[in-house]
Amino acid sequence: DGSEARKAAEHEAAVLRVTQFLLENRSPHRIEYLRAERNAGKGAAIRFGCSRAGANATWLTFIAADGAIPAREYWRVAAMLPSIQADVVCACRIKMAGRTIDRPLFRHIQGRMFATLAEELFHLGLYDTQTGMKAFRGAMLRPLLPQLQETRWLLDVELLVLMARAGARCVEVPVDCHMRAGSSLVFGLDPLRMAWQLVQLRSRLGSGKGSAG
């Protein structure tokens, strides 16, 4: 968390409440609050958290803090991990029977444009690279952490490309998603900026399969 002081204090207090709840209910799970010196972006926060995870953790996971994906969905997917035949598990936002997706039309269109370009550039075979919940098999991800460079929203793609190149098996799991109204994204400008940054990432990493280039 790189939030300003007041928000950081609120977040830490919330973590302490959850920790107390886990202890009172004799849960084997524990939560550690990590605070970065500054807010360097989503990607930087994920990298920081993964670097502090226990060396014996079988899976390294993250969920976005914007609340778009309900906590129950995190635990539903987490329950699949012990038996799943994959090394990467990506939540995905896809309207289908049994799942609820609620997001503005502009965000949906922009998301599909991004996903289409990402697939053309990296050939990952994924419907949605940007849903804010993923799980990575720790033994495969840890050696790749020093290679990560992205600090913002492109970290998802960078992670997926490096894992694919390492031979990881990837699956997608549809989840409920309820995105709040309003966005800092600028119609027209931000899609162009995202496209250019994806092209730059492709130049640096190469495609998802095989060697760079």
Side-chain angles (χ1 to χ4, degrees):
D1 183 356
S3 304
E4 51 92 15
R6 181 179 61 82
K7 284 291 185 181
E10 294 176 0
H11 296 164
E12 186 170 15
V15 170
L16 290 175
R17 289 194 296 270
V18 173
T19 299
Q20 185 61 34
F21 174 83
L22 294 174
L23 290 171
E24 292 173 354
N25 289 273
R26 299 181 180 180
S27 170
H29 302 293
R30 295 293 180 267
I31 297 178
E32 178 184 2
Y33 177 77
L34 302 176
R35 184 181 180 188
E37 293 183 0
R38 63 184 181 87
N39 186 345
K42 163 194 167 180
I46 293 170
R47 289 167 55 187
F48 181 44
C50 287
S51 70
R52 294 288 298 272
N56 62 340
T58 304
W59 290 90
L60 301 178
T61 73
F62 68 81
I63 183 171
D66 59 6
I69 301 174
R72 68 175 183 276
E73 290 292 77
Y74 176 86
W75 294 115
R76 180 174 68 86
V77 174
M80 302 176 183
L81 298 181
S83 60
I84 204 160
Q85 299 299 307
D87 306 301
V88 180
V89 180
C90 300
C92 69
R93 298 161 293 192
I94 180 170
K95 278 199 171 184
M96 58 183 291
R99 300 268 66 89
T100 302
I101 305 297
D102 179 18
R103 61 172 171 169
L105 179 61
F106 163 62
R107 296 290 296 274
H108 173 72
I109 294 173
Q110 182 170 271
R112 297 316 309 149
M113 292 172 59
F114 180 93
T116 300
L117 180 58
E119 180 59 23
E120 287 296 317
L121 292 173
F122 298 104
H123 311 292
L124 294 169
L126 297 173
Y127 176 81
D128 184 0
T129 63
Q130 297 307 111
T131 300
M133 187 171 78
K134 292 179 176 66
F136 302 88
R137 202 171 289 277
M140 291 195 72
L141 178 58
R142 287 190 187 89
L144 302 177
L145 292 177
Q147 300 180 40
L148 298 175
Q149 297 182 31
E150 297 298 326
T151 60
R152 299 177 68 86
W153 51 272
L154 275 180
L155 181 77
D156 297 73
V157 178
E158 184 181 33
L159 277 168
L160 293 169
V161 170
L162 293 179
M163 289 291 285
R165 191 174 296 161
R169 300 161 297 170
C170 184
V171 298
E172 292 186 291
V173 177
V175 298
D176 294 340
C177 181
H178 307 278
M179 302 184 76
R180 299 173 182 175
S183 171
S184 60
L185 297 176
V186 179
F187 181 78
L189 177 60
D190 280 306
L192 291 175
R193 182 183 295 122
M194 291 176 179
W196 172 240
Q197 290 175 348
L198 269 177
V199 170
Q200 290 181 307
L201 185 66
R202 173 62 171 81
S203 177
R204 177 167 68 84
L205 293 181
S207 64
K209 304 294 184 181
S211 59

